Amino acid sequence: MKVTKHKKARKYMSFYINNFGFREPLLVLVDGTFCHAAYKARLQIEDQLKKYFGCELKPIVTACIITETENIGGPLIAVCQLLKKFLLHKCGHEKNPIAGSACIKAMTKTCNYIVATQDRNLQDWIQSRPGIPLFYLHNNLVPTLVQPSEASARAATNKTQARIEVREVDEKTLTSLKKREGLVTEVTPEPRRKRKKKNPNPLSCKKSKKVKNHGKSSGGGKTEAVQNHGIEKKTRKRIKLPKHVIEHLKANKEVVC
């Protein structure tokens, strides 16, 4: 199970790195609700984050998040002490602190952050905005990076299409500039040669079958063609024997008789 979780985390973060410009070290913006859930589960936030993502990262907080937990007081005093151990990031609200969720919304508009929160309303807002990874503790125990939302997927496809269109425009402008400077010579395509019509191959042409009517041949050795319902008939060849052969045959017949 741990291996599959780490694979999914790497896959999801590669999506954000390739499409939204996330770079190491990753900045994880932790709020009071996430820190409170980790404190209850006795989880070391920084160690768990490094094991889960398997890369360099920095958990950060803002002055607004710290002041919000301090104002709540009571059981969150220990949580406030944990938040103060993280790197304090300037949010621009130091003079007039605002709510922690509002501060996180303002921070994610200007820079790339992974938001670690257990606040359901803030989670829904993050899922409706593109390019913001959401990290939380499932059942307040299991660290989980949420799959990129539909808004992030749509924004990623739009960016890829825009890149393709920009590349095509850049190629056209580059070719036009090269032509102006004379770096590229236009190659005129050669006109196609008309092919000469060749006569048909006489060997491939079939000869027409004609029925010829010939009279009787003068010689006995020639064939006679008789037309009978479109069919040619051949006569037998008559062989002339020499006289001495005929005489010899007659003499033999007499002897036998």
Side-chain angles (χ1 to χ4, degrees), residues 148-166:
S149 61
E150 293 182 358
S152 298
R154 285 195 299 269
T157 53
N158 292 332
K159 282 186 178 181
T160 52
Q161 289 176 358
R163 285 174 190 169
I164 293 166
E165 290 176 359
V166 168

Side-chain angles (χ1 to χ4, degrees), residues 76-122:
L76 296 182
I77 293 171
V79 175
C80 185
Q81 295 298 322
L82 288 173
L83 288 171
K84 288 180 180 179
K85 292 181 180 179
F86 300 138
L87 181 65
L88 185 63
H89 204 73
K90 291 183 180 180
C91 60
H93 311 127
E94 287 80 10
K95 293 181 180 179
N96 297 314
I98 59 176
S101 59
C103 181
I104 290 171
K105 290 177 183 179
M107 292 281 288
T108 51
K109 289 179 181 178
T110 57
C111 192
N112 292 327
Y113 298 104
I114 300 169
V115 179
T117 181
Q118 299 294 110
D119 188 355
R120 291 294 179 87
N121 294 327
L122 184 58

Side-chain angles (χ1 to χ4, degrees), residues 119-155:
D119 188 355
R120 291 294 179 87
N121 294 327
L122 184 58
Q123 288 177 1
D124 294 337
W125 183 88
I126 290 167
Q127 289 292 90
S128 65
R129 297 294 187 276
I132 306 174
L134 176 61
F135 187 77
Y136 76 107
L137 295 177
H138 184 66
N139 292 330
N140 293 327
L141 289 173
V142 183
T144 304
L145 180 67
V146 181
Q147 184 178 358
S149 61
E150 293 182 358
S152 298
R154 285 195 299 269

Side-chain angles (χ1 to χ4, degrees), residues 23 25-29 57-60 89 111-115:
R23 294 291 179 269
L26 302 173
L27 299 177
V28 183
L29 192 56
L57 54 83
K58 293 178 181 180
I60 61 172
H89 204 73
C111 192
N112 292 327
Y113 298 104
I114 300 169
V115 179

Side-chain angles (χ1 to χ4, degrees), residues 7 58 70 72 87 118 136 142 171 208 218 223 253:
K7 283 183 178 180
K58 293 178 181 180
E70 281 180 346
I72 293 169
L87 181 65
Q118 299 294 110
Y136 76 107
V142 183
E171 287 177 358
S208 59
S218 59
T223 60
K253 282 180 180 181

